[in-house]
């Protein structure tokens, strides 16, 4: 009898586990399908929002998204503006060959086909006729001071670079940077576009001779051009790599964190003030606190009382598990306690 009951219970448990596995599989399948559907619709919407490069014979779909540059620690940046895949393709070949970081110049107000129609009095015609026009850019380059070389790519509109390139150049301090321009066009050369852009920069900017690529340019054309340039070797740092000369470690976020620091666990307000002052005086720039330490306010006060610029100090605080459900609110509370700005 006991064997019969045990056998019956085993069969029931196996049936229940099989049913649960089936439901989980169906749930995962539905979730994957939903994700693909969302991604496809977003890509389509982004592609439809793009315009077309003037002076480029073929239209393509640009599936890149509007985002800041993602830093790998390279000292070379490829910044480009493209309404089709033509200029973007040249830029991607440059990136692949040099190991450079990438930044797409995306207009805050995207261009439509109507905007770009030649000699219709449309938006692009009006901007190119107005040398003071400066179309807004939707994002910015983080830590642009790390770059020694910037490749600048753009299509040719009415013989010149689109005015949004002027916006880009005037948005940053590019002192001592080498700029290497390249353009894409159906027939026009780079002409005076590079010279006119150069005039927007300070005298400390080194401006090299530009290169024009047609719509049917190949990767080998780009490689041949790059080989003719005398580029400095790209200084790429590995995430987690310690640089004992600069006393920093590269995080996977792209930020460099000081490696000499102070943990403030169990320090009272007065101890915090003295310890942090001593740390900063001796060259330390990393300070660690937490909600549960109860001294975030004291840490912030000590930093504000120091003569060290805020942007030089790397501050870490930590949330307690009970705060995870309202993390954004907890972060705002920590910043308010410390009285510090984000840097």
């Amino acid at each position: 009898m006991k064997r019969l009951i045990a056998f019956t219970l085993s069969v029931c448990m196996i049936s229940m586990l099989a049913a649960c596995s089936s439901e989980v599989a169906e749930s995962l399948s539905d979730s994957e399908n939903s994700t693909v559907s969302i991604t496809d619709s977003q890509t389509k919407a982004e592609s439809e929002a793009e315009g077309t490069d003037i002076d480029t014979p073929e239209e393509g779909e640009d599936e890149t998204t509007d985002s800041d540059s993602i830093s790998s620690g390279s000292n070379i940046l490829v910044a480009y503006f493209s309404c089709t895949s033509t200029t973007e393709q040249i830029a991607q070949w440059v990136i692949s060959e040099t190991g450079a970081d990438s930044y797409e110049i995306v207009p805050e107000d995207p261009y439509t086909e109507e905007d770009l129609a030649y000699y219709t009095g449309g938006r692009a015609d009006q901007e190119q006729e107005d040398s003071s026009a400066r179309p807004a850019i939707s994002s910015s380059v983080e830590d642009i001071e790390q770059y020694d070389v910037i490749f600048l790519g753009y299509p040719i509109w009415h013989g010149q670079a689109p005015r949004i390139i002027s916006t880009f150049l005037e948005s940053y301090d590019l002192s001592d940077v080498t700029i290497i321009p390249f353009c894409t066009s159906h027939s026009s050369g780079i002409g005076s576009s590079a010279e006119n852009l150069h005039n927007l920069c300070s005298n400390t900017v080194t401006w090299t001779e530009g290169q024009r690529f047609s719509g049917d340019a190949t990767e080998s054309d780009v490689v041949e051009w790059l080989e003719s340039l005398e580029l400095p070797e790209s200084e790429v740092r590995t995430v987690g790599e310690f640089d004992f000369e600069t006393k920093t470690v590269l995080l996977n976020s792209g930020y460099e964190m000081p490696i000499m620091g102070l943990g403030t666990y169990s320090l009272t307000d007065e101890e915090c003030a003295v310890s942090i002052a001593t740390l900063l005086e001796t060259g330390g720039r990393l300070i660690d606190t937490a909600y549960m330490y109860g001294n975030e306010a004291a840490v912030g006060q000590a930093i504000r009382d120091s003569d060290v610029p805020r942007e030089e100090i790397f501050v870490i605080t930590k949330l307690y598990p009970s705060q995870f459900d309202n993390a954004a609110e907890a972060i705002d509370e920590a910043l308010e306690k410390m009285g510090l700005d984000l840097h």
Side-chain angles (χ1 to χ4, degrees):
M1 184 65 177
K2 291 182 179 179
R3 290 182 178 177
L4 178 59
I5 293 173
F7 175 78
T8 303
L9 289 174
S10 298
V11 170
C12 290
M13 291 178 66
I14 292 171
S15 299
M16 291 172 64
L17 289 172
C20 289
S21 298
S22 177
E23 290 176 2
V24 171
E26 289 176 2
S27 175
L28 288 173
S29 178
D30 290 342
S31 175
E32 290 171 352
N33 290 336
S34 175
T35 301
V36 171
S37 175
I38 291 171
T39 302
D40 289 345
S41 64
Q42 287 176 335
T43 301
K44 181 179 180 182
E46 290 164 357
S47 296
E48 290 176 348
E50 292 289 341
T52 54
D53 278 354
I54 293 180
D55 232 7
T56 302
E58 299 177 353
E59 291 188 4
E61 292 183 353
D62 186 357
E63 298 183 354
T64 57
T65 57
D66 174 17
S67 63
D68 293 348
S69 61
I70 300 177
S71 173
S72 65
S74 173
N75 63 339
I76 300 176
L77 176 70
V78 176
Y80 66 94
F81 169 65
S82 179
C83 287
T84 71
S85 60
T86 309
T87 306
E88 181 189 14
Q89 180 61 82
I90 302 298
Q92 293 303 324
W93 284 331
V94 175
I95 293 165
S96 176
E97 186 68 18
T98 62
D101 289 341
S102 170
Y103 172 71
E104 181 179 6
I105 301 172
V106 178
E108 195 170 276
D109 182 13
Y111 291 93
T112 66
E113 290 188 16
E114 185 178 54
D115 291 336
L116 301 177
Y118 251 25
Y119 302 115
T120 61
R123 175 184 166 192
D125 286 345
Q126 294 175 27
E127 289 177 354
Q128 293 307 99
E129 291 174 1
D130 181 5
S131 61
S132 65
R134 295 294 184 270
I137 299 174
S138 64
S139 63
S140 60
V141 181
E142 294 185 359
D143 301 322
I144 197 166
E145 62 277 2
Q146 81 179 58
Y147 300 109
D148 300 322
V149 176
I150 297 178
F151 283 88
L152 185 60
Y154 54 87
I156 292 293
W157 290 4
H158 293 291
Q160 294 296 319
R163 299 301 181 192
I164 197 169
I165 301 299
S166 301
T167 306
F168 172 79
L169 290 173
E170 293 177 345
S171 297
Y172 305 96
D173 178 5
L174 301 177
S175 301
D176 302 319
V177 171
T178 296
I179 296 180
I180 306 174
F182 65 89
C183 74
T184 58
S185 71
H186 177 54
S187 57
S188 303
I190 198 165
S192 61
S193 69
E195 179 182 344
N196 291 337
L197 292 175
H198 186 192
N199 292 334
L200 300 176
C201 302
S202 69
N203 294 331
T204 61
V205 173
T206 300
W207 197 277
T208 66
E209 184 176 353
Q211 180 72 19
R212 175 254 177 188
F213 294 96
S214 63
D216 59 356
T218 65
E219 184 173 5
S220 60
D221 294 329
V222 174
V223 171
E224 182 179 353
W225 170 57
L226 292 173
E227 289 177 346
S228 70
L229 304 174
E230 294 184 2
L231 294 176
E233 292 187 8
S234 181
E235 299 172 359
V236 180
R237 288 183 61 186
T238 304
V239 171
E241 176 187 350
F242 287 81
D243 186 331
F244 293 101
E245 185 174 332
T246 62
K247 298 181 176 64
T248 61
V249 59
L250 183 65
L251 305 180
N252 57 14
S253 62
Y255 288 100
E256 293 182 343
M257 183 178 76
I259 57 180
M260 178 181 173
L262 171 71
T264 61
Y265 175 70
S266 79
L267 295 182
T268 63
D269 292 356
E270 184 177 349
E271 290 172 330
C272 262
V274 174
S275 299
I276 289 174
T278 303
L279 171 80
L280 297 176
E281 288 173 2
T282 55
R285 294 295 183 265
L286 173 65
I287 301 170
D288 175 89
T289 181
Y291 168 79
M292 288 302 294
Y293 295 178
N295 57 17
E296 287 176 320
V299 167
Q301 185 63 53
I303 292 172
R304 294 196 304 275
D305 289 343
S306 75
D307 295 328
V308 178
R310 167 68 185 92
E311 59 270 18
E312 292 184 15
I313 304 174
F314 199 105
V315 184
I316 298 172
T317 191
K318 300 177 287 296
L319 306 185
Y320 198 67
S322 62
Q323 298 177 292
F324 290 174
D325 288 341
N326 295 297
E329 182 179 329
I331 293 170
D332 289 339
E333 181 183 341
L335 289 172
E336 185 176 350
K337 283 182 182 178
M338 291 187 286
L340 301 177
D341 295 327
L342 289 173
H343 285 277

